[in-house]
Amino acid sequence: MTDTDRSATPPSPPPASDWPEPGRGQAARPSPGSDPSAVDGPLSGTQPGRGQAAGPSPGSGPSAGDGPLSGLRVLELGQLIAGPFAGKTLADFGADVVKVEPPGDGDPLRKWRLLHDGTSVWWQVQSRNKRSVVLDLRTDAGRADARRLAAEADVLIENFKPGTLEKWGLGYESLAADNPGLIMLRISGYGQTGPYRDLPGFAVVAEAMGGLRHLMGEPGRVPVRAGVSLGDTLAALHGVIGVLLALQARQRSVGPDAPKGRGQVVDVALYESVFNCMESLLPEYSAFGAVRQPAGSALPGIAPSNAYRCADGQVVIGGNGDSIFKRLMQAIGRDDLGADPGLADNAQRAARVDELDAAITAWTVRRKVDEVVATLQAASVPAGRIYTVADIATDPHFLARGMIQTVTVTGADGLTLAVPGIVPKLSATPGAIRSPAPTLGQHTVEVLGARRGPDAAA
C-alpha cells in the first residue's frame, strides 16, 4: 500500500560523511514528543531459530559489517506496506535503513491488525533491522533534517502520492543537486507519469487494474482477493530489483566528475508490478482476442492442475507434465487414461480437463489428505496439502530451512513471537535478523543528536 491518501558490491560510504553508524554515537532514546512508555512493547532481541544467531540487546542498532549490503545507507520515508517492505528486504541483507516516522503515532502500520501491548505484531516483521527517527516532514525543521540525511544516503525510499516530495522541496532533482549518487525508489499506485499518476492508488485497486483480480474467483461470481496485499509486496520486490540495478549502474558510472557515481530514479507502479506477473494474458489477447476468464482453483489451458476434495480436506495436484501425467494416472489406477494417445500432450489434456478432474476427484474423495499426498509424492507427482498458518508454524521443512524465527517481545508477559525467516538464502553472505523492530523515535538522538542537540524539536 502506498501512502497516497495521507553483481556489484555497493560502494563504501564516503569517508567524510556524518551519517552515524548503527549503535555508535549517543545512546538511543525516544525523540521529543514520542511516548517511550507505551509505543511498542519493544523486542529484547531476536532468539535463535534454526541456524539463526541471537540478535543484539535492546537499544543497539543493526550490527555494522553484516550482510552483502553492509555499508549501504538507506533513508526510508515510506509508510505502511510497499516502501517499508522494500526497506525491510534491504535491511535483512545488511543495509543501514533509517526509517523516518511522523511524530505522534508513527507509521500507521504500528496499529494495524492484531496488537500486543498497543503495537501490531506485524510491525516486528516489517521494521526489523531498521532504525527509527521521528521527523515532521510538514515542518521546515523536519524537512531540513530529512534533506541532510538524504545528502548522506545511497538510497531513498518513498511511497507518497506523486508530487508530495516536490511540494516539500525534497524532489529528486533537488536532492540530487547535493548528492548526485542518490538513488530514489519511488513506489506509487500508477507511477510518476501518465494520466492516472495523481489518483490515489492502493494495492486492492492495483490488483484489479493489473489484471489479477478478474482472474481470481469462480466463474460468474464476484472476484475475490488473496487475503494479503499482493500488489504492495510485488511492487516492493520490483523496487528492490530496481535499486540493485541502479547501484550496479552507479558503480559503473564512477569517474573523476562523479566520484560516487551517478544515481537515478527507480519508478515503480503497483499496477505495473501486478501486470508484470500476468504471464500470457496480453499476448493471448493480442494474437487471438482471447480474454482469460476466472476458473476457480484451476489454471486454464494447463491440465490437470487443480485443487481436489479429499475425505478430510483438500489437496493441490500438478499433473500437467507429459511424463508426470502418466505417473499420476498410474498412481490413481487409471492406466487407461495414461496410455490414451489423445491425452499425450498438454493441449489434448486441456481439451478434456473436465474428464481428467472428475477421474482424479473420484480417487481423492475416497481417501484422506495424508494418504493422497504420500501416494502421489511416492510416484514423483507434485502434490501437497493446503496449509494454514498453523501447518506452516510446525512444518519440519520450514523449520529446517530457518523460515520460522522467534523474537521475544519485552512486556508484562514476555511474548515469544514467531516471525518469517530471511529470503532469499545466500550461501556465503546470508541475511539475518540483527536487531528488533524499533520503538518510535528510538534512534532520533543517535542519528540526529550530534547535529541538532538532544532537546531539539522533531
Side-chain angles (χ1 to χ4, degrees):
M1 181 173 294
T2 64
D3 189 23
T4 57
D5 292 324
R6 319 158 291 123
S7 83
T9 302
S12 299
S17 173
D18 291 333
W19 186 285
E21 294 185 11
R24 298 191 181 183
Q26 299 185 10
R29 64 186 186 186
S31 67
S34 67
D35 180 0
S37 65
V39 171
D40 277 332
L43 298 176
S44 63
T46 55
Q47 292 183 341
R50 303 285 182 102
Q52 174 68 54
S57 61
S60 63
S63 302
D66 291 341
L69 298 181
S70 176
L72 186 73
R73 298 160 172 175
V74 178
L75 181 62
E76 181 187 301
L77 302 184
Q79 297 184 3
L80 297 173
I81 305 177
F85 191 94
K88 177 192 82 76
T89 303
L90 297 172
D92 280 351
F93 290 92
D96 178 13
V97 178
V98 171
K99 178 176 181 61
V100 171
E101 300 187 71
D105 293 330
D107 190 323
L109 190 75
R110 289 180 180 271
K111 301 296 183 183
W112 274 27
R113 293 192 57 78
L114 302 185
L115 309 184
H116 174 75
D117 286 349
T119 298
S120 172
V121 293
W122 186 2
W123 178 255
Q124 312 300 344
V125 179
Q126 190 81 320
S127 296
R128 67 194 186 194
N129 294 328
K130 298 180 185 179
R131 296 194 281 171
S132 172
V133 169
V134 168
L135 293 178
D136 189 347
L137 297 180
R138 292 173 173 82
T139 68
D140 291 340
R143 291 192 292 269
D145 281 327
R147 173 176 287 277
R148 282 190 285 267
L149 289 174
E152 301 159 2
D154 297 293
V155 178
L156 186 150
I157 299 172
E158 66 101 357
N159 60 326
F160 295 107
K161 187 175 181 179
T164 299
L165 288 190
E166 282 75 12
K167 179 180 68 176
W168 291 338
L170 299 173
Y172 182 74
E173 296 302 326
S174 176
L175 296 181
D178 297 328
N179 182 1
L182 180 67
I183 294 164
M184 181 182 284
L185 169 57
R186 314 195 74 168
I187 303 178
S188 61
Y190 303 96
Q192 301 297 312
T193 61
Y196 300 163
R197 64 157 260 167
D198 294 323
L199 295 177
F202 276 6
V204 60
V205 180
E207 290 162 18
M209 183 176 176
L212 177 63
R213 186 62 67 89
H214 176 68
L215 301 179
M216 297 181 67
E218 299 289 340
R221 304 187 68 178
V222 175
V224 300
R225 70 179 303 172
V228 293
S229 296
L230 288 176
D232 285 315
T233 305
L234 288 173
L237 293 175
H238 280 86
V240 170
I241 293 170
V243 165
L244 297 178
L245 294 172
L247 286 168
Q248 175 79 346
R250 188 180 76 172
Q251 186 180 50
R252 291 180 174 180
S253 69
V254 169
D257 60 337
K260 191 178 175 180
R262 296 291 179 184
Q264 59 183 298
V265 172
V266 178
D267 180 0
V268 175
L270 297 183
Y271 86 95
E272 291 171 353
S273 300
V274 173
F275 178 61
N276 194 37
C277 299
M278 289 297 98
E279 300 176 352
S280 63
L281 206 65
L282 181 59
E284 288 175 352
Y285 174 74
S286 178
F288 310 110
V291 178
R292 190 183 301 183
Q293 299 299 321
S297 61
L299 184 60
I302 308 296
S305 180
N306 211 332
Y308 300 91
R309 291 182 293 114
C310 298
D312 62 345
Q314 301 86 32
V315 296
V316 290
I317 300 173
N320 44 286
D322 293 346
S323 60
I324 295 174
F325 171 71
K326 293 181 178 180
R327 294 197 298 272
L328 170 60
M329 292 299 103
Q330 183 178 36
I332 69 172
R334 294 301 305 267
D335 293 285
D336 58 314
L337 295 176
D340 187 340
L343 296 171
D345 60 38
N346 181 70
Q348 294 173 305
R349 293 191 295 272
R352 295 169 60 181
V353 63
D354 291 341
E355 176 188 357
L356 296 177
D357 282 346
I360 296 168
T361 300
W363 180 77
T364 60
V365 76
R366 301 193 305 270
R367 291 164 173 81
K368 292 185 176 181
V369 169
D370 287 346
E371 179 186 352
V372 170
V373 171
T375 300
L376 296 185
Q377 288 181 347
S380 293
V381 174
R385 66 173 57 249
I386 297 173
Y387 277 31
T388 68
V389 70
D391 298 313
I392 290 172
T394 58
D395 183 270
H397 195 76
F398 275 83
L399 295 171
R401 287 182 55 80
M403 284 310 301
I404 310 295
Q405 299 294 318
T406 58
V407 293
T408 301
V409 178
T410 301
D413 58 358
L415 174 69
T416 297
L417 190 67
V419 296
I422 308 295
V423 179
K425 302 187 183 306
L426 278 63
S427 61
T429 55
I433 302 175
R434 303 179 316 281
S435 69
T439 58
L440 179 59
Q442 179 179 339
H443 303 94
T444 300
V445 173
E446 177 180 286
V447 174
L448 297 175
R451 180 180 295 116
R452 298 192 314 174
D455 298 323

